[in-house]
Amino acid sequence: MGKHRRPGPPNQPSRAVPRVNADDPLAAYNKRRRPPLDQYSRHRPVHGGAGHLRPDEPRVLETWDGFAYQVVGTAPDLASAQAWANGLQVEDDSGM
């Protein structure tokens, strides 16, 4: 069988070729500090479970700080969380 190309999401760069600068002595360190799948912000259901189920439940908003995801707030529903993850502003009245 021949080699097959497995396409990834259109909004993410390919991870098949490492993006490492040969002139930078800290390039390997900086590469390890990238978030998984290059997602700097993500959302999860508050009570766990699949993200596509129960779209009217609140979501936890998280951002990558270089080592782990940190909670930065909440969103009232899936649509608001997706808007926040795509770079739009979400009003957060949770006090977090």
Side-chain angles (χ1 to χ4, degrees):
M1 295 203 61
K3 293 184 179 180
H4 298 283
R5 180 178 178 272
R6 184 175 186 187
N11 62 346
Q12 294 179 2
S14 172
R15 291 182 69 112
V17 178
R19 297 178 294 172
V20 176
N21 184 0
D23 299 329
D24 184 10
L26 297 176
Y29 172 75
N30 291 333
K31 182 181 174 189
R32 286 193 307 269
R33 289 190 55 160
R34 287 195 336 233
L37 297 175
D38 287 336
Q39 290 181 333
Y40 287 90
S41 59
R42 70 178 186 182
H43 56 87
R44 298 180 301 112
V46 171
H47 302 293
H52 65 287
L53 299 176
R54 300 182 307 274
D56 55 335
E57 290 188 359
R59 307 286 188 207
V60 175
L61 307 175
E62 300 174 329
T63 59
W64 182 257
D65 69 352
F67 296 102
Y69 284 102
Q70 299 295 323
V71 175
V72 295
T74 60
D77 56 9
L78 177 61
S80 299
Q82 288 175 335
W84 174 83
N86 292 331
L88 300 176
Q89 187 70 350
V90 172
E91 293 182 20
D92 184 14
D93 57 354
S94 67
M96 291 185 88

Coordinates of all heavy atoms in Angstrom, one line a residue:
M1 N 0.8 -1.2 0.0 CA 0.0 0.0 0.0 C 0.9 1.2 0.0 O 1.9 1.3 0.6 CB -0.9 0.0 1.2 CG -1.9 -1.1 1.2 SD -3.3 -0.8 2.3 CE -4.0 0.6 1.5
G2 N 0.4 2.3 -0.6 CA 1.1 3.5 -0.7 C 0.9 4.4 0.5 O 0.1 4.1 1.4
K3 N 1.6 5.4 0.6 CA 1.4 6.4 1.7 C 0.2 7.2 1.5 O -0.2 7.5 0.4 CB 2.6 7.3 1.8 CG 3.9 6.6 2.2 CD 5.0 7.6 2.4 CE 6.3 7.0 2.8 NZ 7.4 7.9 3.0
H4 N -0.5 7.4 2.6 CA -1.8 8.2 2.6 C -1.6 9.5 3.3 O -0.9 9.5 4.4 CB -2.9 7.4 3.2 CG -3.2 6.1 2.4 ND1 -3.9 6.1 1.2 CD2 -2.9 4.8 2.7 CE1 -4.0 4.8 0.8 NE2 -3.4 4.1 1.7
R5 N -2.1 10.5 2.8 CA -2.1 11.8 3.5 C -3.4 11.9 4.3 O -4.5 11.8 3.8 CB -2.0 13.0 2.5 CG -2.0 14.3 3.2 CD -1.8 15.4 2.1 NE -1.8 16.7 2.8 CZ -2.9 17.4 3.1 NH1 -4.1 16.9 2.8 NH2 -2.8 18.5 3.7
R6 N -3.2 12.2 5.6 CA -4.4 12.4 6.4 C -4.5 13.9 6.7 O -3.8 14.4 7.5 CB -4.2 11.6 7.7 CG -5.4 11.7 8.6 CD -5.1 10.8 9.8 NE -6.3 10.8 10.6 CZ -6.4 10.2 11.8 NH1 -5.4 9.6 12.3 NH2 -7.6 10.2 12.4
P7 N -5.5 14.5 6.1 CA -5.7 15.9 6.3 C -6.2 16.3 7.7 O -6.9 15.5 8.3 CB -6.7 16.3 5.3 CG -7.5 15.1 5.0 CD -6.5 13.9 5.2
G8 N -5.7 17.4 8.2 CA -6.1 17.8 9.5 C -7.1 18.9 9.4 O -7.6 19.3 8.3
P9 N -7.4 19.6 10.5 CA -8.4 20.7 10.5 C -7.8 21.8 9.6 O -6.6 22.1 9.7 CB -8.5 21.1 12.0 CG -8.0 19.9 12.7 CD -7.0 19.2 11.9
P10 N -8.7 22.5 8.9 CA -8.2 23.6 8.0 C -7.6 24.8 8.8 O -6.9 25.6 8.2 CB -9.4 24.0 7.2 CG -10.5 23.5 8.1 CD -10.1 22.3 8.8
N11 N -8.0 25.0 10.1 CA -7.6 26.2 10.8 C -6.3 25.9 11.6 O -5.9 26.8 12.4 CB -8.7 26.6 11.7 CG -9.0 25.6 12.8 OD1 -8.6 24.4 12.7 ND2 -9.7 26.0 13.8
Q12 N -5.6 24.8 11.4 CA -4.4 24.5 12.1 C -3.3 24.2 11.2 O -3.5 23.5 10.2 CB -4.6 23.3 13.1 CG -5.6 23.6 14.2 CD -5.7 22.3 15.0 OE1 -5.1 21.3 14.8 NE2 -6.6 22.4 16.0
P13 N -2.1 24.7 11.5 CA -0.9 24.3 10.6 C -0.5 22.8 10.8 O -0.9 22.2 11.8 CB 0.2 25.2 11.1 CG -0.2 25.5 12.5 CD -1.7 25.5 12.6
S14 N 0.1 22.3 9.8 CA 0.5 20.9 9.9 C 1.6 20.8 10.9 O 2.5 21.6 11.1 CB 1.1 20.5 8.5 OG 1.7 19.2 8.6
R15 N 1.5 19.7 11.7 CA 2.5 19.4 12.7 C 3.5 18.3 12.2 O 4.3 17.9 13.0 CB 1.8 19.0 14.0 CG 1.1 20.1 14.7 CD 0.4 19.7 16.0 NE 1.4 19.5 17.0 CZ 1.6 20.2 18.1 NH1 0.9 21.2 18.2 NH2 2.5 19.9 18.9
A16 N 3.4 17.9 11.0 CA 4.2 16.9 10.4 C 5.7 17.4 10.3 O 6.6 16.7 10.5 CB 3.7 16.4 9.1
V17 N 5.8 18.7 10.0 CA 7.1 19.3 9.9 C 7.4 20.2 11.1 O 6.6 21.1 11.3 CB 7.2 20.1 8.6 CG1 8.6 20.8 8.5 CG2 6.9 19.3 7.4
P18 N 8.4 19.9 11.9 CA 8.6 20.7 13.1 C 9.0 22.1 12.8 O 9.8 22.3 11.9 CB 9.7 19.9 13.8 CG 10.4 19.2 12.8 CD 9.4 18.8 11.8
R19 N 8.4 23.0 13.5 CA 8.7 24.4 13.3 C 9.8 24.8 14.3 O 9.5 25.5 15.3 CB 7.5 25.3 13.5 CG 6.4 25.0 12.5 CD 5.2 25.8 12.7 NE 4.6 25.3 14.0 CZ 3.6 25.9 14.6 NH1 3.1 27.0 14.0 NH2 3.1 25.5 15.7
V20 N 11.0 24.5 14.1 CA 12.1 24.7 15.0 C 13.2 25.6 14.3 O 13.6 25.3 13.2 CB 12.8 23.4 15.5 CG1 14.0 23.7 16.3 CG2 11.8 22.6 16.2
N21 N 13.6 26.7 14.9 CA 14.6 27.6 14.3 C 15.9 27.0 14.7 O 16.3 26.9 15.9 CB 14.4 29.0 14.9 CG 15.3 30.0 14.3 OD1 16.2 29.6 13.5 ND2 15.2 31.2 14.7
A22 N 16.8 26.7 13.7 CA 18.1 26.1 14.0 C 19.0 27.1 14.7 O 20.0 26.7 15.3 CB 18.7 25.6 12.7
D23 N 18.8 28.4 14.5 CA 19.7 29.4 15.1 C 19.4 29.7 16.5 O 20.2 30.4 17.2 CB 19.6 30.7 14.2 CG 20.1 30.4 12.8 OD1 21.0 29.5 12.6 OD2 19.6 31.1 11.9
D24 N 18.2 29.3 17.0 CA 17.8 29.6 18.3 C 18.2 28.5 19.3 O 17.8 27.4 19.2 CB 16.3 29.8 18.4 CG 15.7 30.2 19.7 OD1 16.5 30.6 20.6 OD2 14.5 30.2 19.9
P25 N 19.0 28.8 20.3 CA 19.5 27.8 21.2 C 18.3 27.2 22.1 O 18.4 26.2 22.7 CB 20.6 28.4 22.1 CG 20.3 29.9 22.0 CD 19.7 30.1 20.6
L26 N 17.3 28.0 22.3 CA 16.1 27.6 23.1 C 15.0 27.0 22.3 O 13.9 26.9 22.8 CB 15.6 28.7 24.0 CG 16.7 29.3 25.0 CD1 16.1 30.5 25.7 CD2 17.1 28.2 25.9
A27 N 15.2 26.7 21.0 CA 14.1 26.3 20.1 C 13.5 25.0 20.6 O 12.2 24.9 20.6 CB 14.7 26.1 18.7
A28 N 14.2 24.0 21.1 CA 13.6 22.8 21.6 C 12.7 23.0 22.8 O 11.7 22.5 23.0 CB 14.7 21.8 21.9
Y29 N 13.2 23.9 23.7 CA 12.5 24.3 24.9 C 11.2 25.0 24.5 O 10.1 24.7 25.0 CB 13.3 25.2 25.8 CG 12.6 25.8 26.9 CD1 12.3 25.0 28.1 CD2 12.2 27.1 26.9 CE1 11.6 25.5 29.1 CE2 11.6 27.6 28.0 CZ 11.3 26.9 29.1 OH 10.6 27.4 30.2
N30 N 11.2 25.9 23.6 CA 10.1 26.7 23.2 C 9.1 25.8 22.5 O 7.9 25.9 22.6 CB 10.4 27.8 22.3 CG 11.2 28.9 23.0 OD1 11.0 29.1 24.2 ND2 12.0 29.7 22.3
K31 N 9.5 24.8 21.8 CA 8.6 23.9 21.1 C 7.9 23.0 22.1 O 6.7 22.8 21.9 CB 9.4 22.9 20.2 CG 8.6 22.0 19.4 CD 9.4 21.1 18.5 CE 8.5 20.0 17.9 NZ 9.2 19.0 17.2
R32 N 8.5 22.6 23.2 CA 7.8 21.9 24.2 C 6.8 22.7 25.0 O 5.9 22.2 25.6 CB 8.8 21.3 25.2 CG 9.6 20.2 24.7 CD 10.3 19.4 25.8 NE 11.2 20.3 26.7 CZ 12.4 20.6 26.5 NH1 13.0 20.1 25.4 NH2 13.1 21.3 27.3
R33 N 6.9 24.0 25.0 CA 6.0 24.9 25.7 C 4.8 25.2 24.9 O 3.9 25.9 25.4 CB 6.7 26.2 26.1 CG 7.7 25.9 27.2 CD 8.2 27.2 27.8 NE 7.1 28.0 28.2 CZ 7.2 29.0 29.0 NH1 8.4 29.3 29.6 NH2 6.2 29.8 29.4
R34 N 4.7 24.8 23.6 CA 3.5 25.0 22.8 C 2.3 24.2 23.4 O 2.5 23.0 23.9 CB 3.7 24.6 21.4 CG 4.6 25.6 20.6 CD 4.5 25.4 19.1 NE 4.1 24.1 18.7 CZ 4.8 23.3 17.8 NH1 6.0 23.8 17.3 NH2 4.4 22.2 17.5
P35 N 1.1 24.7 23.3 CA 0.0 23.9 23.8 C -0.3 22.7 22.9 O 0.1 22.7 21.7 CB -1.1 24.9 23.8 CG -0.8 25.9 22.8 CD 0.7 26.0 22.8
P36 N -1.0 21.7 23.4 CA -1.4 20.6 22.6 C -2.3 21.1 21.4 O -3.2 21.9 21.6 CB -2.3 19.7 23.5 CG -1.9 20.2 24.9 CD -1.4 21.6 24.8
L37 N -1.9 20.6 20.2 CA -2.6 21.0 19.0 C -2.6 22.5 18.7 O -3.5 23.0 18.0 CB -4.0 20.4 19.0 CG -4.2 18.9 19.0 CD1 -5.6 18.5 19.1 CD2 -3.5 18.3 17.8
D38 N -1.7 23.2 19.3 CA -1.6 24.7 19.1 C -2.9 25.4 19.5 O -3.2 26.4 18.8 CB -1.1 25.0 17.7 CG 0.3 24.7 17.5 OD1 1.1 24.6 18.5 OD2 0.7 24.5 16.4
Q39 N -3.6 24.9 20.4 CA -4.9 25.6 20.9 C -4.5 26.4 22.1 O -4.3 25.8 23.2 CB -6.0 24.6 21.2 CG -6.5 23.9 20.0 CD -7.6 22.9 20.4 OE1 -7.6 22.4 21.5 NE2 -8.5 22.7 19.4
Y40 N -4.5 27.7 22.0 CA -4.1 28.6 23.1 C -5.3 28.9 24.0 O -5.2 29.3 25.2 CB -3.5 29.9 22.7 CG -2.1 29.6 22.1 CD1 -1.8 29.3 20.8 CD2 -1.0 29.7 23.0 CE1 -0.6 29.1 20.4 CE2 0.3 29.4 22.6 CZ 0.5 29.1 21.2 OH 1.8 28.9 20.8
S41 N -6.5 28.7 23.5 CA -7.7 28.8 24.4 C -8.7 27.7 24.0 O -8.8 27.2 22.9 CB -8.4 30.2 24.1 OG -8.7 30.3 22.7
R42 N -9.4 27.2 25.1 CA -10.3 26.1 24.9 C -11.4 26.2 25.9 O -11.3 27.0 26.8 CB -9.6 24.7 25.0 CG -9.2 24.4 26.4 CD -8.6 23.0 26.5 NE -8.3 22.7 27.9 CZ -7.8 21.6 28.3 NH1 -7.4 20.7 27.4 NH2 -7.6 21.3 29.6
H43 N -12.5 25.5 25.7 CA -13.6 25.5 26.6 C -14.0 24.0 26.9 O -13.9 23.2 26.0 CB -14.8 26.3 26.1 CG -15.3 25.9 24.7 ND1 -16.2 24.9 24.5 CD2 -14.9 26.3 23.5 CE1 -16.4 24.7 23.3 NE2 -15.6 25.5 22.6
R44 N -14.5 23.8 28.1 CA -15.0 22.4 28.5 C -16.3 22.6 29.2 O -16.5 23.6 29.9 CB -14.0 21.8 29.4 CG -12.6 21.5 28.8 CD -11.7 20.9 29.8 NE -11.5 21.7 31.0 CZ -11.9 21.3 32.2 NH1 -12.6 20.2 32.4 NH2 -11.7 22.1 33.3
P45 N -17.1 21.6 29.2 CA -18.3 21.6 30.0 C -18.0 21.6 31.5 O -17.0 21.0 31.9 CB -19.1 20.3 29.7 CG -18.5 19.9 28.4 CD -17.1 20.4 28.3
V46 N -18.7 22.4 32.3 CA -18.4 22.5 33.8 C -18.4 21.1 34.5 O -17.6 20.8 35.3 CB -19.4 23.5 34.4 CG1 -19.2 23.5 35.9 CG2 -19.2 24.9 33.9
H47 N -19.4 20.3 34.1 CA -19.5 19.0 34.8 C -19.0 17.9 34.1 O -19.3 16.7 34.3 CB -21.0 18.8 35.2 CG -21.6 19.9 36.0 ND1 -21.2 20.1 37.3 CD2 -22.5 20.8 35.7 CE1 -21.9 21.2 37.8 NE2 -22.7 21.6 36.8
G48 N -18.1 18.2 33.1 CA -17.5 17.1 32.3 C -18.4 16.6 31.2 O -19.5 17.0 31.0
G49 N -17.9 15.5 30.6 CA -18.7 14.9 29.5 C -18.3 15.4 28.1 O -17.4 16.2 28.0
A50 N -19.1 15.0 27.1 CA -18.8 15.4 25.8 C -19.1 16.9 25.6 O -20.2 17.4 26.1 CB -19.5 14.5 24.8
G51 N -18.3 17.6 24.8 CA -18.5 19.0 24.6 C -19.7 19.4 23.7 O -20.3 20.5 23.8
H52 N -20.1 18.5 22.9 CA -21.2 18.8 22.0 C -22.6 18.4 22.5 O -23.6 18.8 22.0 CB -21.0 18.0 20.7 CG -21.1 16.5 20.8 ND1 -20.1 15.8 21.4 CD2 -22.1 15.6 20.5 CE1 -20.5 14.5 21.4 NE2 -21.6 14.4 20.9
L53 N -22.6 17.7 23.6 CA -23.9 17.4 24.3 C -24.3 18.5 25.3 O -23.5 19.2 25.8 CB -23.8 16.1 25.0 CG -23.4 14.9 24.2 CD1 -23.2 13.6 25.1 CD2 -24.5 14.6 23.2
R54 N -25.6 18.7 25.5 CA -26.1 19.7 26.4 C -25.6 21.0 26.1 O -24.9 21.6 27.0 CB -25.9 19.2 27.8 CG -26.6 17.9 28.1 CD -26.4 17.5 29.6 NE -25.0 17.5 30.0 CZ -24.2 16.4 29.9 NH1 -24.5 15.3 29.3 NH2 -22.9 16.5 30.4
P55 N -25.8 21.6 24.9 CA -25.2 22.9 24.6 C -25.7 24.1 25.4 O -25.1 25.2 25.4 CB -25.7 23.1 23.1 CG -26.9 22.3 23.0 CD -26.7 21.1 23.9
D56 N -26.7 23.9 26.3 CA -27.2 25.0 27.1 C -26.6 25.0 28.5 O -26.9 25.9 29.3 CB -28.7 24.9 27.2 CG -29.2 23.6 27.7 OD1 -28.5 22.6 27.6 OD2 -30.3 23.5 28.3
E57 N -25.7 24.1 28.8 CA -25.0 24.1 30.1 C -23.8 25.0 30.1 O -23.2 25.3 29.0 CB -24.6 22.7 30.5 CG -25.8 21.8 30.8 CD -25.4 20.5 31.4 OE1 -24.2 20.2 31.5 OE2 -26.3 19.7 31.7
P58 N -23.4 25.5 31.2 CA -22.2 26.4 31.3 C -20.9 25.7 30.9 O -20.8 24.5 31.0 CB -22.2 26.9 32.8 CG -23.1 26.0 33.5 CD -24.0 25.3 32.5
R59 N -19.9 26.5 30.5 CA -18.6 26.0 30.1 C -17.5 26.7 30.8 O -17.6 27.9 31.2 CB -18.4 26.3 28.6 CG -19.5 25.8 27.7 CD -19.4 24.3 27.5 NE -20.4 23.9 26.5 CZ -20.9 22.7 26.5 NH1 -20.6 21.9 27.4 NH2 -21.8 22.4 25.6
V60 N -16.4 26.0 31.1 CA -15.2 26.6 31.7 C -14.3 27.1 30.6 O -14.0 26.3 29.6 CB -14.5 25.5 32.6 CG1 -13.2 26.1 33.1 CG2 -15.4 25.0 33.7
L61 N -13.8 28.3 30.6 CA -12.9 28.9 29.6 C -11.5 28.8 30.2 O -11.2 29.2 31.3 CB -13.3 30.3 29.4 CG -14.8 30.6 29.0 CD1 -15.0 32.0 28.8 CD2 -15.1 29.8 27.7
E62 N -10.6 28.2 29.3 CA -9.2 28.0 29.7 C -8.2 28.6 28.7 O -8.5 28.5 27.5 CB -8.9 26.5 29.9 CG -9.8 25.9 31.0 CD -9.6 24.4 31.0 OE1 -9.2 23.8 30.0 OE2 -9.7 23.8 32.1
T63 N -7.1 29.1 29.2 CA -6.0 29.6 28.2 C -4.7 28.9 28.6 O -4.5 28.5 29.8 CB -5.9 31.1 28.3 OG1 -5.5 31.5 29.6 CG2 -7.1 31.8 27.8
W64 N -3.8 28.8 27.7 CA -2.5 28.1 27.9 C -1.6 29.2 28.4 O -1.4 30.3 27.8 CB -2.1 27.6 26.5 CG -0.8 26.8 26.6 CD1 0.4 27.3 26.2 CD2 -0.5 25.5 27.1 NE1 1.4 26.4 26.4 CE2 0.8 25.3 27.0 CE3 -1.4 24.6 27.7 CZ2 1.4 24.0 27.4 CZ3 -0.8 23.4 28.0 CH2 0.6 23.1 27.9
D65 N -0.8 28.9 29.5 CA 0.1 29.8 30.1 C 1.6 29.4 29.8 O 2.5 30.0 30.4 CB -0.1 30.0 31.5 CG 0.2 28.8 32.4 OD1 0.5 27.7 31.8 OD2 0.1 28.9 33.6
G66 N 1.8 28.4 29.0 CA 3.2 27.9 28.8 C 3.5 26.6 29.4 O 4.4 25.9 29.0
F67 N 2.7 26.2 30.4 CA 2.9 25.0 31.1 C 1.6 24.1 31.2 O 1.7 22.9 31.1 CB 3.5 25.2 32.5 CG 4.8 25.8 32.5 CD1 4.9 27.2 32.8 CD2 5.9 25.1 32.2 CE1 6.2 27.8 32.8 CE2 7.2 25.7 32.2 CZ 7.3 27.0 32.5
A68 N 0.5 24.8 31.4 CA -0.8 24.1 31.5 C -1.9 25.1 31.2 O -1.7 26.3 31.1 CB -0.9 23.6 33.0
Y69 N -3.1 24.5 31.1 CA -4.3 25.4 30.9 C -4.7 25.9 32.2 O -4.8 25.2 33.2 CB -5.4 24.6 30.2 CG -5.2 24.3 28.8 CD1 -4.8 23.1 28.3 CD2 -5.5 25.3 27.8 CE1 -4.6 22.8 27.0 CE2 -5.3 25.1 26.5 CZ -4.9 23.8 26.1 OH -4.7 23.6 24.7
Q70 N -5.0 27.2 32.2 CA -5.5 27.9 33.4 C -6.9 28.4 33.2 O -7.2 28.9 32.1 CB -4.6 29.1 33.7 CG -3.2 28.7 34.0 CD -3.0 27.9 35.3 OE1 -3.7 28.1 36.3 NE2 -2.1 26.9 35.2
V71 N -7.8 28.3 34.2 CA -9.1 28.7 34.1 C -9.2 30.3 34.1 O -8.5 30.9 35.0 CB -10.0 28.2 35.3 CG1 -11.4 28.7 35.2 CG2 -10.0 26.6 35.2
V72 N -9.9 30.9 33.2 CA -9.9 32.3 33.1 C -11.4 32.8 33.2 O -11.6 34.0 33.3 CB -9.3 32.9 31.8 CG1 -7.8 32.6 31.8 CG2 -10.0 32.3 30.6
G73 N -12.3 31.9 33.3 CA -13.7 32.4 33.4 C -14.7 31.3 33.0 O -14.3 30.1 32.9
T74 N -15.9 31.7 32.9 CA -17.0 30.8 32.5 C -17.8 31.4 31.4 O -17.8 32.6 31.2 CB -17.9 30.4 33.6 OG1 -18.5 31.6 34.1 CG2 -17.2 29.7 34.7
A75 N -18.5 30.6 30.6 CA -19.5 31.0 29.6 C -20.8 30.4 29.9 O -20.9 29.2 30.4 CB -19.0 30.7 28.2
P76 N -21.9 31.0 29.7 CA -23.2 30.5 30.0 C -23.7 29.3 29.1 O -24.5 28.5 29.6 CB -24.2 31.6 29.9 CG -23.5 32.6 28.9 CD -22.0 32.4 29.2
D77 N -23.2 29.2 27.9 CA -23.6 28.1 27.0 C -22.5 27.9 26.0 O -21.5 28.5 25.9 CB -24.9 28.5 26.3 CG -24.9 29.8 25.6 OD1 -23.8 30.3 25.4 OD2 -25.9 30.2 25.1
L78 N -22.7 26.9 25.2 CA -21.8 26.4 24.1 C -21.5 27.5 23.1 O -20.3 27.7 22.7 CB -22.2 25.1 23.5 CG -21.4 24.6 22.3 CD1 -20.0 24.3 22.8 CD2 -22.0 23.4 21.7
A79 N -22.5 28.2 22.7 CA -22.3 29.2 21.6 C -21.4 30.4 22.1 O -20.5 30.8 21.4 CB -23.7 29.8 21.2
S80 N -21.6 30.8 23.4 CA -20.8 31.8 23.9 C -19.3 31.3 24.1 O -18.4 32.1 23.9 CB -21.3 32.3 25.3 OG -22.6 32.8 25.2
A81 N -19.2 30.1 24.5 CA -17.8 29.6 24.7 C -17.1 29.4 23.3 O -15.9 29.8 23.2 CB -17.9 28.2 25.4
Q82 N -17.8 29.0 22.3 CA -17.2 29.0 21.0 C -16.8 30.3 20.5 O -15.8 30.5 19.8 CB -18.1 28.2 20.0 CG -18.2 26.8 20.3 CD -19.3 26.1 19.4 OE1 -20.2 26.7 18.9 NE2 -19.1 24.8 19.2
A83 N -17.7 31.3 20.7 CA -17.4 32.7 20.3 C -16.1 33.2 21.0 O -15.2 33.8 20.4 CB -18.5 33.6 20.6
W84 N -16.0 32.9 22.3 CA -14.8 33.3 23.1 C -13.5 32.6 22.5 O -12.5 33.2 22.3 CB -15.0 33.0 24.5 CG -13.7 33.2 25.3 CD1 -13.3 34.4 25.9 CD2 -12.7 32.3 25.7 NE1 -12.1 34.3 26.5 CE2 -11.8 33.0 26.4 CE3 -12.6 30.9 25.5 CZ2 -10.6 32.3 26.9 CZ3 -11.5 30.3 26.0 CH2 -10.5 31.0 26.7
A85 N -13.6 31.3 22.2 CA -12.5 30.6 21.8 C -12.1 31.0 20.4 O -10.9 31.0 20.0 CB -12.8 29.1 21.7
N86 N -13.0 31.6 19.6 CA -12.7 32.1 18.3 C -12.2 33.5 18.3 O -12.0 34.1 17.3 CB -13.9 31.9 17.3 CG -14.2 30.5 17.0 OD1 -13.3 29.7 17.0 ND2 -15.4 30.2 16.8
G87 N -12.1 34.1 19.5 CA -11.5 35.4 19.6 C -12.5 36.5 19.9 O -12.1 37.7 20.0
L88 N -13.7 36.2 20.0 CA -14.7 37.3 20.3 C -14.8 37.5 21.8 O -14.4 36.6 22.6 CB -16.1 36.9 19.8 CG -16.1 36.7 18.2 CD1 -17.5 36.2 17.8 CD2 -15.7 38.0 17.5
Q89 N -15.3 38.6 22.3 CA -15.4 38.9 23.7 C -16.6 38.3 24.3 O -17.7 38.4 23.7 CB -15.4 40.4 23.9 CG -15.3 40.8 25.3 CD -13.9 40.5 25.9 OE1 -13.1 39.8 25.4 NE2 -13.7 41.1 27.1
V90 N -16.6 37.7 25.5 CA -17.7 37.2 26.2 C -17.8 37.9 27.5 O -16.8 38.1 28.2 CB -17.5 35.6 26.4 CG1 -18.6 35.1 27.3 CG2 -17.5 34.9 25.1
E91 N -19.0 38.3 27.8 CA -19.2 38.9 29.2 C -19.2 37.8 30.2 O -19.9 36.9 30.1 CB -20.6 39.7 29.2 CG -20.6 40.9 28.2 CD -22.0 41.6 28.3 OE1 -22.7 41.4 29.3 OE2 -22.3 42.3 27.4
D92 N -18.4 38.0 31.2 CA -18.2 37.0 32.3 C -18.6 37.7 33.6 O -17.9 38.5 34.1 CB -16.8 36.5 32.3 CG -16.6 35.4 33.3 OD1 -17.6 34.8 33.8 OD2 -15.4 35.1 33.6
D93 N -19.7 37.2 34.2 CA -20.2 37.8 35.4 C -20.0 36.8 36.6 O -20.6 36.9 37.6 CB -21.6 38.2 35.4 CG -22.5 37.0 35.0 OD1 -22.0 35.9 34.6 OD2 -23.8 37.2 35.0
S94 N -19.1 35.8 36.4 CA -18.9 34.8 37.4 C -17.9 35.3 38.5 O -17.8 34.7 39.6 CB -18.3 33.5 36.8 OG -17.0 33.8 36.3
G95 N -17.2 36.3 38.3 CA -16.3 36.9 39.3 C -15.0 36.1 39.4 O -14.2 36.3 40.3
M96 N -14.7 35.3 38.4 CA -13.4 34.5 38.4 C -12.3 35.4 37.8 O -12.3 36.1 37.0 CB -13.5 33.3 37.6 CG -14.4 32.3 38.2 SD -14.5 30.7 37.3 CE -13.1 29.9 38.1

